[in-house]
Amino acid sequence: PTVLDISLRLRNLLREAGLRVAMTREEDVFVGLSARAAFANMMGADVFLSNHINSNSGAPATGLETWIARSAGDRTLRLAQLVQREIVSAWMLADRGVKRADFVVLRETTMPAALAELGFINNCSRDAMLLADPTRREQIAQAEARALLEWLGHSPPSARGILQGVIYEDRGAGPADMSVRIGGATIRVIEVGAMTTSREPDGYWRLELAPGHYTVQASAHGHRMGSRNCTVMGGMESWCSIGLVREEALDSGMRDGATSDEDAMVVG
């Protein structure tokens, strides 16, 4: 699911830039290696990128590497060099370089093809922590998008923006009183699946997103989920603070005559 999540994020970024993208899979199902290459050939793709996660025996290794076929020419080498440069820049893990091997998806594809190994899943102190973080997965997808767009000669998508806010406890006054902050809340952007958590103790959170309109949900233990529609402007910072009502406050409100969840919840 981790590799698929990165690849789906990459797909979204490339489509935002105006490219046509075909995925060998869009759900967590196994697709044979030769079938993946055959699909790319059938689609007449201009470029093929395969994402993987590394592992090793013995002491856990670390780092990022990009592979191409042994017989690959200069254009494919350039593709791999761009991918390797960008993913190393994004995660600052060890640069294991561009390597050559006749993996099936590299040997059987008819277009320039590269295979990216995005860290070592068995390195729990570094690589695996990056892979487990949705915000970091978005970073690596952005890095690959930059590499592919540069290789294809496309202009990058419009500048991304920052969506930020605080999660606070709504005690009846809405955003007029944000004095009680909620740290450790989970924030999720519905349209793109981006997630983060609010900091302790100030409840602050921050995400980098493409320009657009988003539904942002926030949840925390002991509180009713809150949501809000927010807009991201390219190259700008936008605020999207959300207030959460305690569960016991909701229960009390219902006993006092509130008739719906909407009546008892305020978001700011």
Side-chain angles (χ1 to χ4, degrees):
T2 299
V3 172
L4 179 60
D5 179 72
I6 292 171
S7 297
L8 290 172
R9 291 171 185 272
L10 174 60
R11 176 201 64 185
N12 294 342
L13 292 167
L14 294 175
R15 286 179 177 173
E16 288 174 9
L19 300 185
R20 289 181 298 153
V21 182
M23 303 282 290
T24 58
R25 61 177 185 143
E26 295 192 354
E27 298 179 351
D28 189 20
V29 295
F30 177 75
V31 178
L33 299 177
S34 289
R36 300 182 194 202
F39 175 76
N41 296 338
M42 179 188 69
M43 294 297 295
D46 295 313
V47 61
F48 180 92
L49 179 62
S50 185
N51 282 324
H52 295 258
I53 299 175
N54 229 330
S55 66
N56 70 303
S57 57
T62 184
L64 305 157
E65 58 194 31
T66 306
W67 295 79
I68 56 175
R70 296 185 191 279
S71 61
D74 290 344
R75 192 159 181 257
T76 301
L77 176 60
R78 175 61 175 162
L79 168 67
Q81 290 171 335
L82 288 172
V83 170
Q84 184 68 11
R85 181 192 74 189
E86 292 297 328
I87 61 178
V88 169
S89 176
W91 275 2
M92 300 301 291
L93 290 177
D95 185 350
R96 297 173 64 90
V98 173
K99 302 180 179 182
R100 292 179 181 261
D102 286 331
F103 298 140
V104 172
V105 293
L106 303 178
R107 184 183 70 245
E108 296 185 4
T109 43
T110 57
M111 71 291 299
L115 185 152
E117 290 281 5
L118 304 174
F120 284 75
I121 193 67
N122 58 315
N123 189 323
C124 299
S125 64
R126 189 78 187 277
D127 301 34
M129 293 179 66
L130 293 171
L131 290 162
D133 186 337
T135 301
R136 293 292 198 165
R137 294 199 296 268
E138 179 71 15
Q139 286 179 347
I140 210 71
Q142 291 174 16
E144 291 185 329
R146 289 193 298 270
L148 289 168
L149 290 170
E150 182 174 342
W151 186 82
L152 289 165
H154 279 247
S155 299
S158 56
R160 296 167 74 79
I162 299 298
L163 192 62
Q164 61 190 337
V166 296
I167 306 302
Y168 63 92
E169 185 172 297
D170 183 1
R171 299 183 293 175
D177 177 11
M178 295 193 291
S179 58
V180 178
R181 304 293 179 85
I182 303 174
T186 298
I187 297 92
R188 180 169 181 260
V189 182
I190 301 300
E191 288 78 5
V192 294
M195 296 180 66
T196 189
T197 56
S198 58
R199 291 194 311 225
E200 299 274 6
D202 61 2
Y204 177 77
W205 60 273
R206 176 185 175 97
L207 284 169
E208 181 179 306
L209 298 166
H213 303 287
Y214 298 100
T215 301
V216 183
Q217 285 185 345
S219 59
H221 179 70
H223 295 77
R224 185 64 176 268
M225 178 182 291
S227 66
R228 173 169 188 182
N229 295 325
C230 299
T231 300
V232 175
M233 305 293 289
M236 299 179 64
E237 295 187 351
S238 304
W239 282 84
C240 184
S241 297
I242 301 176
L244 303 182
V245 178
R246 281 189 174 275
E247 291 285 359
E248 57 264 32
L250 280 167
D251 292 341
S252 175
M254 290 302 179
R255 288 193 299 269
D256 292 340
T259 58
S260 70
D261 290 346
E262 185 176 17
D263 291 333
M265 178 179 68
V266 179
V267 297

